[in-house]
């Protein structure tokens, strides 16, 4: 259930918030009172998210951000703190996903591999490095990293993406231990195959999407609205003692 006051007084960065899951996270946090910074490399999509939030009565601003750039993430943090007085929450959602190659690992080239790691892993690291000094000033903060069940299942034809998401799971655990004593809580979530426009672009053939659904315990296409409630909970103070974990929302695709 949505709580209109859960993020009141909180300054929240959501990366990759121009579309898909990121947009749903950003809109959900704003609807619960948070001041949201929509960070995205796509200006049109990012500004559209901000417009939707403002139209609904929320507070948001857009910052053009290439998370693979250290300077870009430092500027994101600077603008956030200048506008909203600090940084309380970082939701690391941005990742290279839409348009990525699906191919046997022997057919992936170094450009595919390096770009995937530059965005998905180095980008997450960059964002964490950029915001932590502001969180240290307050003696508190929350970082939620979005990984993927691909890292836990290991599906074929996505080795580069899967490897980056495995790195995010490990990064989350290590960073949680490193920052916990400073009052900065780090945890994460691994969504399953979630049906956004980007997912439809990758799968192409609708039959392939149906195959993924059949692998789930619950035979329903996972939607962003199915994932967002857990992610918003992890961002909130209610999850104050949930640290270093990787929660799965996938309709039962990954089974023990």
């Amino acid at each position: 259930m949505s709580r209109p006051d859960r993020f009141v007084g909180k300054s929240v960065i959501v990366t990759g918030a121009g579309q898909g899951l990121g947009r749903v996270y950003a809109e959900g946090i704003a609807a619960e009172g948070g001041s949201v910074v929509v960070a995205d490399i796509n200006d049109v999509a990012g500004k559209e998210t901000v417009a939707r939030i403002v139209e609904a009565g929320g507070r948001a601003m857009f910052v053009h951000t290439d998370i693979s750039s250290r300077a870009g993430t430092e500027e994101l943090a600077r603008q956030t703190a200048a506008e909203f007085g600090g940084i309380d929450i970082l939701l690391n959602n941005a990742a290279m996903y839409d348009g990525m190659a699906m191919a046997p690992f022997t057919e992936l080239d170094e450009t595919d591999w390096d770009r995937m790691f530059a965005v998905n892993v180095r980008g997450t690291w960059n964002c964490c490095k950029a915001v932590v000094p502001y969180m240290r000033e307050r003696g508190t903060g929350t970082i939620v990293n979005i990984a993927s069940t691909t890292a836990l299942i290991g599906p074929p034809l996505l080795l580069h993406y899967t490897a980056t998401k495995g790195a995010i799971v490990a990064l989350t655990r290590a960073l949680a231990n490193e920052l916990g004593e400073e009052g900065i809580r780090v945890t994460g979530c691994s969504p399953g195959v979630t049906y956004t426009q980007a997912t439809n672009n990758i799968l192409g053939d609708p039959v392939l999407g149906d195959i993924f659904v059949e692998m789930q315990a619950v035979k329903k296409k996972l939607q962003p609205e199915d994932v967002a409630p857990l992610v918003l909970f992890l961002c909130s103070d209610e999850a104050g003692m949930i640290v270093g974990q990787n929660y799965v929302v996938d309709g039962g695709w990954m089974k023990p």
Side-chain angles (χ1 to χ4, degrees), residues 156-253:
L157 308 180
L158 291 171
L159 184 63
H160 51 341
Y161 179 78
T162 298
T164 64
K165 290 305 186 178
I168 295 303
V169 173
L171 180 152
T172 297
R173 289 174 178 162
L175 200 59
N177 286 322
E178 190 163 340
L179 294 176
E181 290 187 1
E182 299 183 64
I184 300 171
R185 182 175 61 87
V186 185
T187 196
C189 175
S190 284
V193 178
T194 309
Y195 286 81
T196 62
Q197 185 57 53
T199 301
N200 293 334
N201 292 342
I202 292 166
L203 296 179
D205 184 351
V207 174
L208 184 56
D210 293 340
I211 290 172
F212 285 129
V213 172
E214 285 304 311
M215 293 177 181
Q216 298 172 184
V218 177
K219 313 302 184 187
K220 170 184 175 291
K221 287 187 175 181
L222 195 68
Q223 303 298 320
E225 293 75 15
D226 297 319
V227 181
L230 175 63
V231 173
L232 267 61
F233 168 71
L234 293 176
C235 287
S236 75
D237 291 341
E238 295 171 285
M241 289 302 288
I242 297 176
V243 183
Q245 302 302 308
N246 178 54
Y247 285 88
V248 173
V249 183
D250 70 350
W253 186 22

Side-chain angles (χ1 to χ4, degrees), residues 143-162:
I143 298 172
V144 176
N145 297 322
I146 304 299
S148 168
T149 50
T150 58
L152 309 173
I153 295 169
L157 308 180
L158 291 171
L159 184 63
H160 51 341
Y161 179 78
T162 298

